[in-house]
Amino acid sequence: MIALLGLIVGIVLGVLLEPSIPAWVQPYLPIAIVAAMDALFGGLRAFLEGTFTDRVFVVSFLSNVVIAALIVWIGDQIGVGSQLSTGVVVVLGIRIFTNAAAIRRQVFRA
Amino acid sequence: MPEEERRTPRPRSRFRQSGVLTRRAQRRRERAELDPELDRSSDDDETLAALRGGTGRTDTKIDWGRLLRPGAGQVIVAVILAFFAMAVVMQIRVSTQDETYASLRRSDLVQMLDSLTQETRRLEMELSELERTRDELVSGQDSERVAREQAQKRLTTMQILAGTVPAEGPGVVIRISDPEGKVGVDVVLNAIGEMRDAGAEVIEFNDSIRLVTSSWIAQGPDSLLIDGKPLTTPIKMEVIGDPHALEEGARFRGGLVSEITSPRVGGHVTVTRSERIEITALHEPRENQYAEPVR
C-alpha cells in the first residue's frame, strides 16, 4: 500500500516540480528506466509467489539500474553505444516478458 | 553438505522421480529469496504447475497482512518507486519536449549533422546552378532584345532609304518654274546631287515620285522622266534633311538657284524651309533577279 503511495507521490512530484535531468544522465535514463521496470516486475512476481524480500528488491533494483546504465556508458565510450543499448533493451524486454508471464500465471492461473 | 554437491551434476528428472518435490520447492524459495527476478525457464514453471496439480499452491503464500502493516522495507520500496516514477515522468517530459534531438547520442548527432551538411552543400550547388541558368536566360533575353532593337532600327533606315514607307521631318521645299522648258536632265541631276551632298535623306518630286537609290532620270518625249514617270513643271521638290544645310546647298553661288535663274535656263526658284515635311509617295521595290546577299 505504501509502495503504491510512493509510486503516486513520485508521479506527482515529477509533474509538479518539473525537475530537469542533468545532461550526463540523459542518454542513460531510458535504459535505466527499462532496467527498473525489469526489477519492478521481478519484485511483483516474487511478491505474488510469496518470496518477496525488500532487501533483495532494493539491491536488485539498484544494481539493475546501475549495470544497465554502465553497460550503455561503456558502449558509448567504445563506440557501440547505440548497439549495446539496443541489446540491453532486448534482454531486459525478454526478462520483463518472462516475469510478466509468471505474474500472469500467478494472477489468472493461466 | 552432500545435498549441495548433488544438486548441480544430477539431472532434473531424478528429482521428480525421487519425489523430492517439497525439498526442491524449498530450495527454489531460497533461491528466489536471493534473487526474486531470477530467470526461470517457462517449461520449469509449467512442470512445477503440473506437479503441484490438484494439491493447491502450497509454496505461494501472499503475506497480505504485511502489506497493510508498514515497515522499514516497505518505506524503502516506496521511496524507490517514487524515484522510479519521477524518473519516468522526467523522461516522458524530455522525450515529448524535444522529441528528436535531446536524448540522442553524440555519434548519432554527428551523423545527423554530417548528413545535414551534405544536404546543404548539395542544395547550395543546385542553387548556384539555377542562378547561373537564370542569369544566362536574363542576359540572353537582354542581348536578344538589343539585337531586335538594332535590327528594327536598321529596318527603318533601310525602309526610308528604299522608299517603301512614308517619311516625315524637317527640310526644304524647292519650287522650280521652267517657262522656257530648258530644265534638263543635267540640271535635275545636279540639283539631286547637291541636295544629297547637303545631307538630304528623303527626296520627293511633285508629291508623287519618291527618289530612291535606283532612280533614273531621262529625257522623255514631252518632259523629263524619273523612273518612267513624267516630271511635269513646275517642279516641286521636297527634301527631308537639315533645313539650313539644304537651303545653303541650293543657294550657293554657281549652285542650283543660280543655275536655274541664269539667262541660259531662265527659270524661277523658291526655296522654303519647313519644320515638318511629309512625304507619302512610295517606291515599289522590285525583287532582285540576279543579286543575292553574300553569306
Side-chain angles (χ1 to χ4, degrees):
Chain A
M1 218 38 74
I2 281 191
L4 211 65
L5 212 66
L7 197 71
I8 292 165
V9 165
I11 291 173
V12 169
L13 276 181
V15 170
L16 289 186
L17 296 183
E18 299 190 5
S20 58
I21 309 171
W24 57 272
V25 181
Q26 272 189 8
Y28 312 113
L29 191 60
I31 295 292
I33 286 174
V34 175
M37 275 171 66
D38 175 48
L40 285 184
F41 274 90
L44 186 59
R45 175 187 178 173
F47 174 74
L48 288 174
E49 289 177 351
T51 58
F52 182 80
T53 317
D54 40 18
R55 186 176 57 83
V56 172
F57 174 71
V58 171
V59 170
S60 72
F61 184 96
L62 292 180
S63 69
N64 256 9
V65 168
V66 169
I67 289 173
L70 198 68
I71 287 176
V72 178
W73 178 75
I74 290 173
D76 270 348
Q77 297 309 305
I78 63 178
V80 288
S82 54
Q83 290 94 323
L84 253 186
S85 64
T86 308
V88 167
V89 167
V90 167
V91 169
L92 290 176
I94 290 172
R95 283 173 54 108
I96 289 171
F97 266 102
T98 312
N99 284 331
I103 292 167
R104 190 196 68 222
R105 281 195 205 94
Q106 293 282 345
V107 173
F108 300 110
R109 313 263 196 274
Chain B
M1 194 172 172
E3 190 190 312
E4 277 305 313
E5 288 167 20
R6 252 185 286 131
R7 194 196 291 174
T8 30
R10 192 180 275 191
R12 289 190 169 202
S13 56
R14 294 285 294 276
F15 278 95
R16 270 179 225 160
Q17 282 166 0
S18 59
V20 284
L21 185 61
T22 47
R23 249 197 295 162
R24 186 165 177 268
Q26 176 68 30
R27 241 184 282 120
R28 189 166 155 271
R29 200 184 309 180
E30 285 169 11
R31 271 194 324 185
E33 201 109 42
L34 288 171
D35 187 358
E37 61 283 350
L38 184 77
D39 258 337
R40 267 160 289 198
S41 63
S42 57
D43 67 338
D44 200 355
D45 278 346
E46 298 285 357
T47 49
L48 262 178
L51 284 167
R52 268 183 233 126
T55 59
R57 291 140 52 84
T58 50
D59 56 342
T60 58
K61 188 174 70 179
I62 299 173
D63 194 354
W64 290 106
R66 223 177 92 190
L67 193 67
L68 298 170
R69 191 163 11 93
Q74 285 244 356
V75 172
I76 291 171
V77 170
V79 167
I80 281 184
L81 277 176
F83 269 111
F84 170 72
M86 227 165 94
V88 170
V89 169
M90 279 153 70
Q91 182 60 32
I92 288 172
R93 174 169 297 123
V94 164
S95 51
T96 47
Q97 253 173 17
D98 33 12
E99 55 281 346
T100 34
Y101 305 120
S103 58
L104 281 181
R105 234 164 285 285
R106 191 190 302 163
S107 58
D108 293 345
L109 286 172
V110 168
Q111 204 176 356
M112 201 175 282
L113 190 64
D114 264 4
S115 65
L116 276 177
T117 314
Q118 268 182 4
E119 182 77 359
T120 310
R121 208 170 300 143
R122 195 182 64 74
L123 287 175
E124 271 172 0
M125 268 168 61
E126 199 179 316
L127 181 69
S128 64
E129 204 168 302
L130 286 174
E131 272 177 350
R132 207 167 51 231
T133 311
R134 190 199 60 191
D135 287 352
E136 273 171 15
L137 285 174
V138 166
S139 71
Q141 202 185 22
D142 261 8
S143 63
E144 195 191 316
R145 190 170 52 79
V146 168
R148 204 171 19 201
E149 275 173 8
Q150 283 180 346
Q152 188 63 46
K153 223 179 271 178
R154 276 169 63 90
L155 178 67
T156 315
T157 312
M158 293 299 170
Q159 279 173 334
I160 289 172
L161 206 60
T164 55
V165 289
E168 62 172 19
V172 292
V173 180
I174 302 171
R175 288 175 215 277
I176 304 168
S177 61
D178 178 26
E180 297 176 31
K182 285 194 176 162
V183 172
V185 174
D186 54 338
V187 174
V188 176
L189 271 179
N190 274 340
I192 291 168
E194 273 157 18
M195 286 298 103
R196 280 188 172 155
D197 204 28
E201 287 168 2
V202 184
I203 302 173
E204 183 193 46
F205 282 99
N206 287 356
D207 290 332
S208 59
I209 303 167
R210 178 84 169 257
L211 205 70
V212 294
T213 49
S214 61
S215 294
W216 51 270
I217 302 175
Q219 183 70 54
D222 303 323
S223 63
L224 292 174
L225 294 175
I226 297 181
D227 288 347
K229 291 175 195 164
L231 184 68
T232 54
T233 51
I235 299 166
K236 183 189 175 195
M237 193 175 170
E238 285 171 291
V239 185
I240 291 179
D242 178 15
H244 178 71
L246 290 173
E247 193 178 0
E248 290 303 309
R251 285 193 192 282
F252 77 97
R253 186 177 293 274
L256 175 68
V257 174
S258 57
E259 192 178 358
I260 290 175
T261 50
S262 71
R264 187 172 68 82
V265 177
H268 186 72
V269 178
T270 58
V271 178
T272 320
R273 288 196 207 182
S274 173
E275 281 307 306
R276 192 166 174 280
I277 291 173
E278 203 165 327
I279 292 176
T280 50
L282 299 183
H283 174 257
E284 289 289 325
R286 267 183 317 173
E287 209 158 304
N288 289 328
Q289 197 175 347
Y290 305 104
E292 276 179 15
V294 177
R295 293 188 192 282

